[in-house]
Amino acid sequence: MAQSTLRRADRVSGILERLATTGSVDATELAGEFRVSPATIRRDLQVLEDQRLLSRTHGGAVAVDVAYELPVRYRIGQHREEKALIAQTVAKLLPRGPLTLGLTGGTTTHLLARLLAERVDLTVVTNALNIAAELSLRPRLKLIMTGGVSRTQSYELVGPIADQALKGLNMAVAVVGVNGISVRGGLTTHDEIEANTNATMIRRADRVIVVADGSKVGKVYLAEICPVSDVTTLVTDASADPAGVEAIRRAGAEVIVVGG
Amino acid sequence: MAQSTLRRADRVSGILERLATTGSVDATELAGEFRVSPATIRRDLQVLEDQRLLSRTHGGAVAVDVAYELPVRYRIGQHREEKALIAQTVAKLLPRGPLTLGLTGGTTTHLLARLLAERVDLTVVTNALNIAAELSLRPRLKLIMTGGVSRTQSYELVGPIADQALKGLNMAVAVVGVNGISVRGGLTTHDEIEANTNATMIRRADRVIVVADGSKVGKVYLAEICPVSDVTTLVTDASADPAGVEAIRRAGAEVIVVGG
DNA sequence: AAGTTATTGCGCGTTAGTGCGCGTCTGCCG
DNA sequence: CGGCAGACGCGCACTAACGCGCAATAACTT
């Protein structure tokens, strides 16, 4: 079917998505794909270049490596494959049979939750609203939410209520999404209240698995959750800085690098 | 005309739902779908953009953050019209200005939450996942969830964690959905754990508004939440048994009968 | 029941997005 | 080194969406 409602926003998303996977795009090709004139594609590329989201070339454009300043929605798109791979790997790490699992917020943990949705004998403890909303539809697993105040930016419940709820629960495994992980800074995130809630969950878990795509390894953000020594396993992807990975290994954590 | 009661709130919900699934919407398309003029759709998009719930483009709008997609379920079953009317009535009962409001699970309370979504100066305390999922998108209101174990049937969080969280909170008004209400049986529901959680919320509220369509008046179910004397106001519809309504009035509660 | 407010639809002038044409330029290759 | 095909930038015209103001209607209040 010929899509009638392909506006600039859709084209821009498509261009960025393609750029994230293939690294470069061809203007004429894009024009044919979106059924618009090459002139329009050039204009699209122009606005994207103005936003430093790509670098134009003759005949098209190439990706530019400035992931950290991309809007969130495109950041997700860029690391989508890596996150999916990480989630699959974590799913395989989990023991079979009855299990109590803690999940913090984040896109990778959300993907993992989806993978686990069909499991039985699973109890999931989470403070992430999007994960809870999805898992609440599955009658076979037990879902426990921490309470707390909702953070609009991350769909996480945080604060004293969440901490209090977590203090009464014990988990065999906690899977934690973070913004940054490094030996010097430990696990870090943007928000100090969120950091505190995540720290509480980590303290209540026997095993701590951190999920972080390669761009987060070596990064340090405002709020520390806990030192790297509290981490049992880190699962990241091949784009991670090898030196940073090696340092975390020496600090005592198992590190699994997927892809590449 | 197919649907006479398509107000702004309904359109806004529909737009957001569509936006959550497709990532972008077309103004002309929406106008056709909701049977309103494009001008009206544009105004809807404007208010949503003001609330940072989407980003307008020429021809429509795009989601601000397509990374987190909350699966919103609309399974409003029977008595749809009555429930909508009841929710509208309750919305008008609430005082203007800053307010802390408790909401239990249920379709009527969910409809009410949607009506209140545009309010500012509102703090909502709820144990209902579907309500939280919808309100978490609204940056202007503060959302506090009780934790607890998820009941698949009702999207409610119940149990000791929920009770514990509620014990630390005080609400000016609690709006409670029940399965049955009668002078003899009090407020009742199917599940005794849910009843206990609802009872805790009622104890922490200055005013208690019960929402129950007519089919629930006079009914008694397994688990008692509290006696009718704890209720400030009951809002029901004209299909309620008049004798039952009168009995509840004599028991000291204000009863508002809508419709008919 | 009457007044008031909010919401919707329509017409107006204005603006953004798109496609086409033409002159210029890049990059390739003989 | 020089020519050539394709890509580029720029300007113009056309379409559709937009914002604004006004009037009609619906809804709510007193």
Side-chain angles (χ1 to χ4, degrees):
Chain A
M1 125 177 128
Q3 290 145 319
S4 58
T5 59
L6 275 180
R7 298 270 186 284
R8 164 157 287 169
D10 299 280
R11 292 196 307 270
V12 161
S13 291
I15 291 170
L16 284 175
E17 192 170 334
R18 172 167 257 192
L19 213 47
T21 55
T22 66
S24 69
V25 291
D26 180 273
T28 317
E29 227 171 81
L30 289 171
E33 192 158 330
F34 292 122
R35 312 288 175 91
V36 293
S37 75
T40 300
I41 292 294
R42 283 190 206 102
R43 278 184 270 243
D44 292 342
L45 295 178
Q46 184 60 50
V47 304
L48 287 171
E49 185 174 46
D50 291 345
Q51 295 175 28
R52 318 283 168 185
L53 294 177
L54 53 76
S55 183
R56 294 190 63 186
T57 61
H58 279 255
V62 294
V64 56
D65 188 26
V66 285
Y68 53 89
E69 65 182 39
L70 286 181
V72 181
R73 56 178 179 276
Y74 299 132
R75 273 219 317 264
I76 304 303
Q78 278 214 335
H79 297 288
R80 187 185 300 161
E81 295 197 7
E82 290 83 350
K83 284 172 193 289
L85 212 60
I86 291 169
Q88 283 163 26
T89 305
V90 172
K92 279 182 264 185
L93 284 178
L94 299 176
R96 299 178 203 282
L99 177 68
T100 301
L101 177 69
L103 289 176
T104 70
T107 47
T108 313
T109 48
H110 190 183
L111 289 171
L112 173 62
R114 251 180 226 171
L115 292 175
L116 299 175
E118 302 293 331
R119 275 192 60 160
V120 294
D121 287 340
L122 187 65
T123 300
V124 172
V125 178
T126 186
N127 68 324
L129 266 172
N130 48 355
I131 291 176
E134 188 150 337
L135 293 185
S136 66
L137 303 164
R138 313 296 178 139
R140 295 176 138 182
L141 54 77
K142 184 170 183 179
L143 171 65
I144 300 177
M145 273 214 93
T146 77
V149 177
S150 169
R151 286 196 70 217
T152 317
Q153 300 92 333
S154 66
Y155 290 107
E156 277 188 280
L157 302 177
V158 297
I161 297 176
D163 300 347
Q164 185 68 31
L166 284 168
K167 276 175 188 156
L169 299 167
N170 293 305
M171 291 154 274
V173 183
V175 180
V176 182
V178 299
N179 288 118
I181 177 170
S182 73
V183 174
R184 286 233 303 245
L187 313 191
T188 51
T189 183
H190 283 110
D191 185 274
E192 75 281 5
I193 305 175
E194 179 187 323
N196 196 48
T197 302
N198 288 353
T200 306
M201 182 180 284
I202 287 172
R203 275 196 292 272
R204 307 299 304 179
D206 293 337
R207 266 175 78 190
V208 176
I209 300 177
V210 173
V211 291
D213 63 66
S215 68
K216 290 163 181 162
V217 173
K219 294 273 165 60
V220 176
Y221 288 88
L222 171 71
E224 178 175 5
I225 300 169
C226 67
V228 171
S229 58
D230 287 357
V231 175
T232 314
T233 307
L234 164 66
V235 182
T236 186
D237 68 84
S239 69
D241 170 41
V245 166
E246 194 48 44
I248 292 168
R249 271 212 184 95
R250 277 198 303 271
E254 176 190 16
V255 181
I256 299 176
V257 179
V258 302
Chain B
M1 184 179 327
Q3 286 153 317
S4 58
T5 58
L6 275 180
R7 290 234 172 48
R8 164 157 289 167
D10 300 276
R11 293 196 306 271
V12 159
S13 293
I15 291 170
L16 286 176
E17 185 184 3
R18 181 159 208 164
L19 213 48
T21 56
T22 64
S24 69
V25 292
D26 181 277
T28 317
E29 236 171 71
L30 289 171
E33 192 159 330
F34 291 119
R35 312 288 175 91
V36 293
S37 74
T40 301
I41 293 295
R42 275 193 275 275
R43 278 184 270 243
D44 293 341
L45 295 178
Q46 184 60 51
V47 303
L48 287 172
E49 185 176 47
D50 291 344
Q51 294 178 31
R52 309 294 164 92
L53 293 177
L54 52 76
S55 183
R56 292 191 65 187
T57 61
H58 272 253
V62 295
V64 289
D65 187 343
V66 293
Y68 296 100
E69 295 171 2
L70 290 172
V72 183
R73 314 280 154 182
Y74 295 109
R75 53 167 187 97
I76 314 286
Q78 318 157 349
H79 305 108
R80 189 173 161 277
E81 302 259 332
E82 290 84 352
K83 285 171 194 287
L85 248 163
I86 291 170
Q88 283 164 25
T89 305
V90 172
K92 276 179 281 187
L93 284 178
L94 299 176
R96 298 177 203 280
L99 177 68
T100 301
L101 177 70
L103 289 176
T104 71
T107 47
T108 312
T109 47
H110 189 187
L111 288 172
L112 173 62
R114 222 180 268 171
L115 292 176
L116 299 175
E118 320 259 340
R119 277 192 57 159
V120 295
D121 287 339
L122 188 65
T123 300
V124 172
V125 178
T126 186
N127 68 325
L129 266 172
N130 48 355
I131 291 175
E134 188 149 337
L135 293 185
S136 66
L137 297 166
R138 313 297 179 135
R140 290 180 153 183
L141 53 77
K142 184 170 183 180
L143 172 66
I144 300 177
M145 273 215 92
T146 76
V149 177
S150 169
R151 288 197 68 218
T152 318
Q153 299 91 334
S154 65
Y155 292 102
E156 276 189 282
L157 302 177
V158 297
I161 297 176
D163 300 346
Q164 184 69 31
L166 283 168
K167 276 176 189 158
L169 300 167
N170 294 305
M171 290 153 276
V173 183
V175 180
V176 182
V178 299
N179 288 119
I181 177 169
S182 73
V183 174
R184 287 231 307 244
L187 314 190
T188 52
T189 183
H190 283 110
D191 185 274
E192 76 282 6
I193 306 175
E194 181 187 323
N196 195 48
T197 302
N198 288 355
T200 306
M201 182 180 284
I202 287 171
R203 272 195 294 273
R204 308 299 304 181
D206 293 335
R207 264 174 79 189
V208 176
I209 300 177
V210 173
V211 290
D213 62 66
S215 68
K216 289 164 182 163
V217 173
K219 293 275 166 61
V220 177
Y221 288 89
L222 171 69
E224 177 175 7
I225 300 169
C226 68
V228 170
S229 58
D230 286 359
V231 175
T232 315
T233 307
L234 164 66
V235 181
T236 186
D237 68 85
S239 70
D241 170 40
V245 167
E246 196 45 46
I248 293 167
R249 272 210 184 97
R250 277 197 304 270
E254 176 191 17
V255 181
I256 299 176
V257 179
V258 303

